Structure formats: structure tokens, C-alpha cells
Amino acid sequence: MHSWWWKILCFILLGFTVVGGFLMPVPRLDILNETIRNLYFHVPMWFTMLVLFAMAFYYSIKYLRTGDLQDDIYAVQLTNAGIFFSILGMLTGMEWAQYTWGSAWSNDPKQLGTAMSMLIYFAYIILRSGLKDDEKKAKISAVYNVFAFAMLIPLIFILPRMVDSLHPGNGGNPAFKQYDLDSNMRMVFYPAVAGWILIGLWIANLKVRLGLVIYKRENTLQFDLEKTAEK
Amino acid sequence: MIKKGLITIFLILITTTFVSAETEMADAMRSNGKIYVVVAVLATIFAGIFAYLVYLDRKISKIEKEK
């Protein structure tokens, strides 16, 4: 993860997204108008969040298997970054809805499901801050994180699809059906998703590395203290 | 009377087809070039965020090497 090639790739992809996202042709649809371009910015926030939460889920299971506190640092920092992107996704979605469909909060099933899973993840952070002992904190929050991710999938993918919603892929439609027809949008959308996921990974990567440095520093300090105490 | 009604219906039909054909898009903004201002602003913000991330990455790398 220390290599630079994927960060440069991220820069190129997002640079293309920012320019192409505004200037490339898009289908002319009523109500949506130019806001269809939000697809390049709002939707990738959720994709990034999902990737980060999925990786946090993986590291939580890994922690439960190995008991290595470094895996816990991976899990918590990936979750933190994921929460950051979920907040961005929620805010952009509300802005989009406010000016396109007339209200920021229309009790859209996907919006409700996402709000619920966001609360579940907020509780993860609060749960961690409530526990003092590092081992206990890591173990309990790892178990909690596994359940949180298991709740995330039905809340944002399964339940909203069973009812009507403003979001594509709901009310029985396959996702992105109306956009799939437009190859111009796909040309920007896929690089946008990849670029946003990479920048999310980069931010999480920085947070994890900082967490590991602090963890190692504290541990060596503790180790030194124990050594001096023995003498 | 019937003539008037027909004309009204005809006019309504024309306006609806006209409206649906001319979906409002920010064409004027692009044609007079102003959209590029927005693109430039966003590109600046992204460049700034990236520069900041690169700066943080280097700083953390340096701290990692200190050990």
C-alpha cells in the first residue's frame, strides 16, 4: 500500500471525473435535468463506503481469528473512513433531493435504510469509546462490526428494493437500467467510481498507518517501562 | 365553437411536444463558456485535496521511518 502508482491512477481518474463529469454529454431527462451529473459524485460515495466497510468487516473477522491488535486498528480506521464517506453520501443525496424532488427528506426507503445503518455504525464508535481495556474494546467491537455489516446489506440492498423509491434499482427495476443505455455516462461513471474508491482507500490507508505508528510507539514505551521496572 | 376547441387542443399538443423536446439544460452556460469556470474551481479543489493527501502521506512515511 506504500506504492504510488495507484495514487497517481486515482488522481488521473478523479481529474477526468471532475472535467468529464461536467462537460461530457448526458441524456436529457425532465425533472433530473443537469442534476443527472450528480451520479458521478453522489453514487460513488456509497460505493466507497461499501468497499471500506467490507474491508473493515474482513479485518474484524481477521482480528477475531488472530487476536492481533493491529488488525483492530485496520478495522476501526477503515470504519472511520467509511463513516466519513457515508456522511458525504447522505449530505449530497439530500442536496440533490432538495432541489430536484422538492424535499431533502422524503422518507425514501433507501434513505431510511441508509440512515439506520449509519446509526448502527455511529454506535460502533460510541461503543469503542465506552470501553477502556484495549483487548476487550477490540474483541467486542469486532463482534459488533460483523453484525453491523451483516445488517448493512439487507438495509441498503434488499429492503429498499422491495418497495418504490426514487432510487434506481428499486420497485423491481434492475439497478442502473436507465443509465446503462447511455454509453456516454458509463464512460465517466466507471472511472468516477474507481477514482472515488481509490481516494477512500488512500484516506483509510493514511489513518491506518498513523494508528499503527501510535500503537507501536505506545507499545515500545510500555515495553521500555516494563524493562526498567524489572531492573 | 368546435373550431375553437380544436384550435385549443392543437395548441396544447404543440406546446407539450415543444416543451418535451426542449428539456431545460445548462446549454447557455456551456455555450458562453461559464461552465469552465466551475470546472476550474472544482479542479483546483481536487488538486488541493490531492496535494494535501500527498503531503500527509509523506509526513506519515517519515514518521514510520523514524523508528
Side-chain angles (χ1 to χ4, degrees):
Chain A
M1 289 301 263
H2 281 258
S3 54
W4 281 94
W5 67 267
W6 62 277
K7 292 160 192 168
I8 294 163
L9 180 71
C10 173
F11 182 76
I12 294 166
L13 287 173
L14 278 186
F16 173 69
T17 305
V18 170
V19 178
F22 285 94
L23 303 178
M24 295 282 279
V26 291
R28 288 163 179 263
L29 302 173
D30 275 319
I31 301 172
L32 271 174
N33 307 89
E34 292 281 1
T35 68
I36 197 167
R37 293 180 194 278
N38 276 347
L39 186 81
Y40 308 136
F41 305 100
H42 165 70
V43 183
M45 294 295 117
W46 298 115
F47 284 20
T48 312
M49 178 202 78
L50 261 177
V51 168
L52 292 171
F53 281 168
M55 286 176 74
F57 172 70
Y58 167 78
Y59 276 105
S60 282
I61 291 176
K62 196 168 171 229
Y63 171 76
L64 290 174
R65 287 170 62 101
T66 60
D68 185 355
L69 275 172
Q70 295 194 19
D71 289 331
D72 180 58
I73 291 170
Y74 273 92
V76 71
Q77 296 302 353
L78 283 162
T79 308
N80 275 334
I83 287 174
F84 174 66
F85 276 91
S86 78
I87 292 169
L88 286 181
M90 184 56 88
L91 288 176
T92 52
M94 282 166 72
E95 282 165 355
W96 193 357
Q98 174 72 51
Y99 299 108
T100 310
W101 294 281
S103 91
W105 201 275
S106 49
N107 282 339
D108 183 81
K110 202 145 202 162
Q111 206 172 15
L112 286 174
T114 316
M116 279 160 74
S117 35
M118 278 171 79
L119 289 177
I120 291 173
Y121 275 97
F122 290 161
Y124 171 80
I125 301 299
I126 295 166
L127 174 74
R128 285 186 70 90
S129 65
L131 294 165
K132 281 268 185 290
D133 180 51
D134 276 351
E135 294 274 336
K136 195 188 272 177
K137 182 196 277 184
K139 194 156 279 179
I140 291 174
S141 65
V143 173
Y144 183 89
N145 194 25
V146 170
F147 280 106
F149 190 73
M151 279 304 290
L152 179 76
I153 301 305
L155 276 174
I156 68 174
F157 284 121
I158 300 169
L159 291 178
R161 276 178 200 201
M162 301 171 83
V163 278
D164 280 323
S165 162
L166 288 171
H167 288 92
N170 300 318
N173 300 319
F176 298 115
K177 193 181 169 195
Q178 68 235 58
Y179 308 120
D180 269 351
L181 297 169
D182 194 84
S183 53
N184 280 328
M185 285 201 82
R186 255 188 293 179
M187 247 171 68
V188 184
F189 182 63
Y190 293 148
V193 169
W196 285 110
I197 287 175
L198 284 177
I199 202 173
L201 288 177
W202 192 358
I203 292 170
N205 173 251
L206 290 177
K207 287 166 80 78
V208 166
R209 278 160 62 192
L210 197 60
L212 288 176
V213 166
I214 293 167
Y215 169 74
K216 280 178 187 152
R217 194 157 284 183
E218 277 173 357
N219 268 33
T220 41
L221 190 69
Q222 207 174 7
F223 185 67
D224 290 343
L225 284 174
E226 278 165 10
K227 254 189 173 173
T228 41
E230 275 170 22
K231 283 175 192 171
Chain B
M1 213 39 201
I2 298 164
K3 231 182 193 175
K4 260 189 185 172
L6 277 177
I7 287 169
T8 327
I9 290 168
F10 184 66
L11 278 177
I12 287 170
L13 275 176
I14 280 188
T15 38
T16 45
T17 45
F18 180 74
V19 166
S20 59
E22 294 276 309
T23 302
E24 214 176 306
M25 301 295 254
D27 289 331
M29 207 156 79
R30 244 191 309 282
S31 67
N32 68 23
K34 287 277 187 343
I35 188 73
Y36 293 104
V37 180
V38 184
V39 174
V41 167
L42 263 169
T44 314
I45 291 173
F46 273 110
I49 289 172
F50 267 90
Y52 186 56
L53 280 175
V54 168
Y55 162 76
L56 281 178
D57 203 313
R58 285 192 167 167
K59 201 166 188 179
I60 291 170
S61 295
K62 210 179 269 176
I63 295 170
E64 279 172 336
K65 274 177 198 150
E66 264 174 30
K67 311 228 67 209

